[in-house]
Structure formats: C-alpha cells, structure tokens
C-alpha cells in the first residue's frame, strides 16, 4: 500500500528527514565528546594517584 503525497507534503517529509539527520548527528558528536572527556578525567585521576603514591614512597 503505497500512498501518493502532494508535492508540498513530499518536500516537508524531506525537510523533516534532513533536520532529523542533523539532530542525530549532533547527538552522536556530543556523546563522543562526553566519552572523550570521561576518559581524560579518568586518566588524569589515575596519573594523579600514581604521582602521589610515588611522592609518598620517596619521603
């Protein structure tokens, strides 16, 4: 059952699809940035703990 839409409806569907694609692309980019920030924070914490342990061992 294929439905035939008016030209304005088809244009609206295409425009909506484009906006939806942009939205999901931005969401994906934000998730990647947040993941990178979490990894950076975890590494910083691990290095800080290692440095403090080394300093404590040297004293």
């Amino acid at each position: 059952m294929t439905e035939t839409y008016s030209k304005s409806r088809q244009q609206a569907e295409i425009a909506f699809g484009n906006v939806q694609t942009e939205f999901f692309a931005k969401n994906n980019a934000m998730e990647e940035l947040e993941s990178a920030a979490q990894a950076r924070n975890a590494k910083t914490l691990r290095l800080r703990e290692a440095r403090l342990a080394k300093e404590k061992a040297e004293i």
Side-chain angles (χ1 to χ4, degrees):
M1 297 186 86
T2 55
E3 297 181 36
T4 306
Y5 295 117
S6 66
K7 186 159 181 90
S8 61
R9 170 72 185 257
Q10 290 173 355
Q11 290 172 339
E13 292 285 344
I14 291 169
F16 177 74
N18 291 340
V19 169
Q20 195 173 24
T21 299
E22 289 177 25
F23 174 77
F24 287 123
K26 288 178 184 177
N27 254 1
N28 194 17
M30 287 300 297
E31 288 176 3
E32 289 177 14
L33 287 173
E34 289 173 1
S35 176
Q38 288 177 348
R40 183 182 60 242
N41 291 341
K43 183 176 180 180
T44 300
L45 181 61
R46 189 177 71 249
L47 291 172
R48 181 181 297 128
E49 289 173 348
R51 178 180 49 82
L52 292 174
K54 181 180 175 185
E55 289 174 357
K56 186 177 182 182
E58 290 175 352
I59 294 178

